[in-house]
Amino acid sequence: MILIYNCEDRNPLLFISGELLGLNEKFNLYLFYDENTLKWKKDPGTNPTITEEFCETVVEIVKNSPHNNTIKKMEIRDLEIGNLVKYTLEENNELED
Protein backbone atom coordinates (compact mmCIF):
# COMPACT_ATOMS: atom_id res chain seq x y z
CA MET A 1 0.00 0.00 0.00
CA ILE A 2 1.22 3.50 -0.84
CA LEU A 3 0.59 6.46 1.44
CA ILE A 4 0.98 9.98 -0.03
CA TYR A 5 2.24 12.63 2.39
CA ASN A 6 2.65 15.63 0.14
CA CYS A 7 2.20 16.82 -3.44
CA GLU A 8 3.69 20.20 -4.39
CA ASP A 9 4.13 22.33 -7.46
CA ARG A 10 7.84 23.14 -7.52
CA ASN A 11 7.76 24.84 -10.88
CA PRO A 12 8.56 23.21 -13.25
CA LEU A 13 8.67 19.94 -11.25
CA LEU A 14 5.97 18.05 -9.42
CA PHE A 15 7.19 16.84 -6.01
CA ILE A 16 5.45 13.89 -4.35
CA SER A 17 6.52 12.39 -1.05
CA GLY A 18 5.11 9.28 0.52
CA GLU A 19 5.75 5.87 2.00
CA LEU A 20 5.40 2.24 0.99
CA LEU A 21 3.50 0.81 3.93
CA GLY A 22 4.56 -2.66 4.97
CA LEU A 23 8.11 -1.97 3.81
CA ASN A 24 8.41 1.24 5.85
CA GLU A 25 10.19 2.74 2.86
CA LYS A 26 9.80 6.49 2.24
CA PHE A 27 10.15 8.05 -1.20
CA ASN A 28 10.45 11.44 -2.84
CA LEU A 29 9.55 11.77 -6.50
CA TYR A 30 10.49 14.66 -8.75
CA LEU A 31 8.51 14.52 -11.99
CA PHE A 32 8.14 16.68 -15.08
CA TYR A 33 5.22 16.73 -17.49
CA ASP A 34 6.07 15.64 -21.02
CA GLU A 35 3.64 17.51 -23.26
CA ASN A 36 4.56 15.24 -26.20
CA THR A 37 3.38 12.04 -24.48
CA LEU A 38 1.06 13.76 -21.97
CA LYS A 39 2.65 11.73 -19.17
CA TRP A 40 4.60 12.51 -16.03
CA LYS A 41 8.23 11.41 -16.32
CA LYS A 42 10.85 10.84 -13.67
CA ASP A 43 13.32 13.71 -13.27
CA PRO A 44 17.02 12.84 -12.71
CA GLY A 45 16.62 14.25 -9.17
CA THR A 46 14.58 11.16 -8.27
CA ASN A 47 16.35 8.16 -6.77
CA PRO A 48 17.58 6.12 -9.78
CA THR A 49 16.32 2.84 -8.28
CA ILE A 50 12.72 4.08 -8.54
CA THR A 51 11.14 2.88 -11.78
CA GLU A 52 8.99 4.81 -14.25
CA GLU A 53 6.21 2.29 -13.56
CA PHE A 54 6.28 3.13 -9.85
CA CYS A 55 6.12 6.85 -10.69
CA GLU A 56 3.10 6.25 -12.95
CA THR A 57 1.37 4.29 -10.17
CA VAL A 58 1.97 7.09 -7.67
CA VAL A 59 0.67 9.73 -10.10
CA GLU A 60 -2.51 7.69 -10.61
CA ILE A 61 -2.99 7.46 -6.83
CA VAL A 62 -2.48 11.21 -6.47
CA LYS A 63 -4.96 11.89 -9.29
CA ASN A 64 -7.57 10.08 -7.18
CA SER A 65 -6.80 12.10 -4.06
CA PRO A 66 -7.38 15.67 -2.84
CA HIS A 67 -4.01 16.54 -4.47
CA ASN A 68 -5.56 16.07 -7.93
CA ASN A 69 -5.98 19.85 -8.39
CA THR A 70 -2.21 20.37 -8.10
CA ILE A 71 -1.52 17.91 -10.92
CA LYS A 72 -4.30 19.22 -13.17
CA LYS A 73 -3.15 22.85 -12.81
CA MET A 74 0.42 21.86 -13.65
CA GLU A 75 -0.62 19.82 -16.70
CA ILE A 76 -2.68 22.72 -18.07
CA ARG A 77 0.10 25.24 -17.37
CA ASP A 78 2.76 23.06 -19.00
CA LEU A 79 0.61 22.48 -22.08
CA GLU A 80 -0.04 26.22 -22.41
CA ILE A 81 3.69 26.98 -22.07
CA GLY A 82 4.53 24.25 -24.59
CA ASN A 83 2.00 25.61 -27.07
CA LEU A 84 3.27 29.16 -26.58
CA VAL A 85 6.87 28.05 -27.24
CA LYS A 86 5.83 26.11 -30.38
CA TYR A 87 3.81 29.07 -31.66
CA THR A 88 6.69 31.50 -31.02
CA LEU A 89 9.18 29.21 -32.79
CA GLU A 90 6.86 28.80 -35.79
CA GLU A 91 6.28 32.55 -35.92
CA ASN A 92 10.03 33.23 -35.82
CA ASN A 93 10.66 30.71 -38.60
CA GLU A 94 8.05 32.42 -40.77
CA LEU A 95 9.69 35.81 -40.20
CA GLU A 96 13.10 34.44 -41.22
CA ASP A 97 11.77 33.07 -44.53
Side-chain angles (χ1 to χ4, degrees):
M1 179 181 269
I2 298 173
L3 178 64
I4 304 299
Y5 293 139
N6 196 14
C7 177
E8 293 178 23
D9 179 350
R10 294 192 181 174
N11 191 14
L13 298 177
L14 172 65
F15 170 74
I16 302 172
S17 64
E19 182 176 352
L20 287 167
L21 297 177
L23 298 176
N24 294 330
E25 201 173 305
K26 295 184 179 181
F27 61 85
N28 293 319
L29 304 181
Y30 297 91
L31 308 168
F32 67 92
Y33 193 64
D34 182 350
E35 63 266 357
N36 294 322
T37 63
L38 303 179
K39 291 187 176 189
W40 289 95
K41 302 285 184 172
K42 183 172 76 166
D43 184 75
T46 299
N47 182 333
T49 61
I50 294 177
T51 66
E52 284 287 345
E53 292 78 21
F54 179 76
C55 292
E56 290 173 10
T57 300
V58 171
V59 167
E60 287 306 312
I61 291 169
V62 172
K63 283 184 175 183
N64 292 300
S65 79
H67 297 292
N68 183 39
N69 288 337
T70 301
I71 288 181
K72 290 296 179 197
K73 286 178 188 174
M74 290 182 70
E75 288 175 351
I76 290 168
R77 179 188 67 210
D78 288 351
L79 283 173
E80 287 174 352
I81 290 170
N83 287 336
L84 179 61
V85 168
K86 287 176 191 171
Y87 175 75
T88 303
L89 290 174
E90 289 172 0
E91 193 174 73
N92 286 342
N93 286 340
E94 288 174 6
L95 292 174
E96 290 175 1
D97 291 339

